[in-house]
Amino acid sequence: MQKRRKLLSLSALVCALLLVFAFVFVGCGNEEQTGGTNSGGGLDENYTSVPTTETAPPSATLSLSAATATVAYGDTLTLTATVGNVVDGTVTWSVAAEGAEAITFEEGDATDAITADSATATLTLTGEAVTSTAYNVTATFVASDNAENTASASCAVTVVASNVTVNVTGTANALYTDGKETEKSTTLTATVSGTSGAVIAWSKTDEDNLVTLTNNGDGTATVAANSEVQATGTVTVTASVTYNDGTEEQTATGSASIVVTRRSLTDLAYIEFDSDLDSGNTNVTLDTTYSDASDKIASTTFTLGNTVQGTTTYDSSAGAFEVTHNTGNPGSCTAPGIEMVIEAGAGLAGDDETIAFSFWYNTTGGEDWNVIARVGNDSRITFGNLCSANGNMWPDGGGIRENGAAWDAISEAVDLRNTWTYITVTVNAETGIQFYKNAQLVFTYPVSNSNVATLVSEFIGVFRNGGTIVFFSNNESSGGVDYIDNLRVTKNVSAADLYSAATAN
């Protein structure tokens, strides 16, 4: 019994001590610190937090636009270096010491500043000597604040022998000694590839001294027809460049052929439709400077319904004639058009000569009874058909189809829609009336037909005796529009030559 009391007493003592320690611990945790910096049970100010580990930024990288490249002797090559994980710094270019004579930099050992907004550097180098091996051109990046943050990349560059080519092009391949000033000369341009700064020499093969050749000194030359020379023919003009390909002197050439011709007594009238875009003006400018017809053919006018416009034109010229007027009466003989007045007794064509009407034609619809030219009310040449006082004719009714042509080859055929086609009509006392499409014969109306013979006499008679001829008067197509450009009236010129001249400029 006494032993049990001792045990109880010992237990009580232990419990009392635990309570004291607990009280002391709680008191320390809730005690306000002097200065009020840790009231309310916060951690003791002497406690130390574990520091966060900082990660170093990634090192810069550098890549080149090419790992291998060739540059022709005397030519240049551009390389671009791109820095990744960019920080401020510089890129410096260098070439392997053994290649220094073969490869030079445009501006020496180039050094470019690199920033976050400008992470690329560009170098232009020149091939100075042909090499049998490749030499490294190296770009090296060094960060401004850390000399150990560097990156580099190389391009193996080989200098090869240069291969120079010369290409000659011109604004025209035909000159007319009796044409307008713009048709008497052409500008040739020599384009040189494979070298830079080459000196271009011009020469000509011209036995008859047909042209004058002028070197303009800027890679171009002017070729002008000699007006005092009456001969015609073909001139070859050559541009030459002498260069060193890295091993020896070489010459590169390019040539152009220029046809010199004339047409003074063959062009009776020419209308470009380029100076008459005023919708309130019904005049068209008639050009007769090629012939003695200038004082025998009056200025031309057109009347209501049609217009000269500048949207749909041939060869980006300023204007073209738009034929929209619908007479409302198919086969009408009185629709107004472009009127050309020829003075009485003009004598511009003899009975045995050939008159031709040629022009560029574009249509959205087309109609074979639309008028190309008419004399009086009944005598008409349309887009493939003929009309006379004694009856109408068409390809299968009085005419002959040529070269497999369809009846609508120059009027309503699909290949005429929204594209420019060259149409020529010839009138001759022996061959009759013939129609050509891009210089190919499509229809013939022979003079063995008395109605055709009468039409031939009437149309040639206007140019011989005087009178009025009307072009492009009616438009009977339902909703279609015809566009006409560069109307030319000539005598004794073939359809092939007319087409060649029309496509030469």
Side-chain angles (χ1 to χ4, degrees):
M1 189 66 157
Q2 185 178 3
K3 187 180 292 188
R4 184 178 177 213
R5 285 183 178 177
K6 288 181 179 180
L7 288 173
L8 290 173
S9 299
L10 182 58
S11 298
L13 178 60
V14 171
C15 290
L17 290 172
L18 289 173
L19 288 172
V20 170
F21 286 134
F23 177 80
V24 171
F25 180 79
V26 172
C28 290
N30 291 327
E31 179 179 311
E32 286 193 13
Q33 293 190 13
T34 305
T37 58
N38 194 23
S39 62
L43 293 175
D44 189 271
E45 65 179 354
N46 294 321
Y47 286 1
T48 303
S49 61
V50 178
T52 302
T53 303
E54 294 186 1
T55 303
S59 298
T61 63
L62 189 144
S63 60
L64 288 184
S65 53
T68 60
T70 59
V71 58
Y73 170 79
D75 207 354
T76 59
L77 171 69
T78 299
L79 294 175
T80 300
T82 303
V83 178
N85 301 326
V86 63
V87 294
D88 291 353
T90 57
V91 165
T92 302
W93 297 88
S94 61
V95 60
E98 62 270 26
E101 293 184 357
I103 301 169
T104 62
F105 299 162
E106 287 290 300
E107 299 178 359
D109 294 340
T111 299
D112 294 292
I114 297 295
T115 67
D117 295 327
S118 178
T120 60
T122 300
L123 171 75
T124 299
L125 55 85
T126 303
E128 298 287 359
V130 176
T131 62
S132 58
T133 186
Y135 297 111
N136 282 336
V137 174
T138 302
T140 301
F141 170 77
V142 179
S144 299
D145 60 352
N146 184 357
E148 295 182 358
N149 187 6
T150 66
S152 65
S154 297
C155 176
V157 177
T158 304
V159 182
V160 298
S162 60
N163 180 26
V164 175
T165 60
V166 181
N167 184 40
V168 177
T169 56
T171 57
N173 59 15
L175 302 179
Y176 298 93
T177 59
D178 50 4
K180 297 181 298 183
E181 290 305 313
T182 56
E183 294 180 320
K184 293 180 180 179
S185 67
T186 183
T187 299
L188 298 181
T189 300
T191 304
V192 180
S193 60
T195 188
S196 57
V199 177
I200 300 172
W202 294 89
S203 61
K204 63 174 181 169
T205 302
D206 184 10
E207 295 180 358
D208 296 320
N209 194 30
L210 301 177
V211 301
T212 298
L213 176 65
T214 303
N215 186 345
N216 299 325
D218 58 355
T220 68
T222 300
V223 182
N226 288 329
S227 58
E228 68 276 8
V229 177
Q230 296 303 312
T232 60
T234 300
V235 176
T236 299
V237 178
T238 301
S240 302
V241 173
T242 301
Y243 68 100
N244 187 331
D245 70 353
T247 58
E248 60 183 356
E249 291 293 312
Q250 302 279 4
T251 300
T253 62
S255 299
S257 295
I258 307 295
V259 177
V260 180
T261 186
R262 62 178 182 272
R263 55 189 181 193
S264 59
L265 297 179
T266 60
D267 254 300
L268 300 178
Y270 182 48
I271 305 176
E272 290 181 314
F273 304 105
D274 287 352
S275 304
D276 315 289
L277 300 181
D278 182 356
S279 61
N281 180 11
T282 58
N283 292 316
V284 290
T285 301
L286 175 67
D287 188 349
T288 58
T289 58
Y290 307 134
S291 69
D292 60 354
S294 58
D295 59 346
K296 297 178 181 179
I297 299 179
S299 59
T300 53
T301 61
F302 61 92
T303 50
L304 299 177
N306 305 319
T307 186
V308 175
Q309 50 79 52
T311 301
T312 303
T313 66
Y314 173 73
D315 197 23
S316 301
S317 56
F321 192 56
E322 180 179 355
V323 189
T324 57
H325 186 62
N326 192 316
T327 64
N329 178 19
S332 171
C333 299
T334 58
I338 299 172
E339 297 183 359
M340 185 180 297
V341 180
I342 302 169
E343 72 171 26
L348 295 177
D351 290 340
D352 60 345
E353 294 187 293
T354 299
I355 295 294
F357 313 125
S358 57
F359 54 92
W360 286 104
Y361 171 65
N362 187 330
T363 185
T364 63
E367 165 62 52
D368 57 337
W369 293 107
N370 289 353
V371 168
I372 291 176
R374 69 174 172 87
V375 175
N377 291 336
D378 298 323
S379 302
R380 289 172 285 157
I381 298 173
T382 74
F383 281 82
N385 306 332
L386 300 178
C387 302
S388 74
N390 296 318
N392 298 336
M393 293 159 277
W394 51 92
D396 295 331
I400 301 170
R401 294 199 217 176
E402 307 276 11
N403 298 308
W407 68 269
D408 61 351
I410 63 169
S411 59
E412 302 173 40
V414 173
D415 64 339
L416 300 170
R417 305 287 177 88
N418 303 305
T419 188
W420 288 99
T421 304
Y422 202 69
I423 306 298
T424 301
V425 181
T426 61
V427 182
N428 177 269
E430 290 187 4
T431 58
I433 298 177
Q434 295 182 304
F435 294 80
Y436 294 82
K437 177 181 183 178
N438 292 333
Q440 183 179 55
L441 180 63
V442 290
F443 308 131
T444 294
Y445 290 86
V447 291
S448 56
N449 183 318
S450 60
N451 289 339
V452 175
T454 298
L455 289 175
V456 169
S457 178
E458 289 177 330
F459 277 95
I460 292 180
V462 170
F463 293 93
R464 181 184 65 243
N465 305 318
T468 299
I469 185 168
V470 180
F471 295 96
F472 311 114
S473 53
N474 66 326
N475 185 342
E476 298 178 14
S477 175
S478 177
V481 178
D482 290 347
Y483 298 99
I484 310 297
D485 211 353
N486 298 348
L487 168 63
R488 190 180 298 278
V489 181
T490 58
K491 68 174 182 178
N492 304 329
V493 183
S494 69
D497 286 346
L498 288 168
Y499 180 65
S500 177
T503 56
N505 297 320

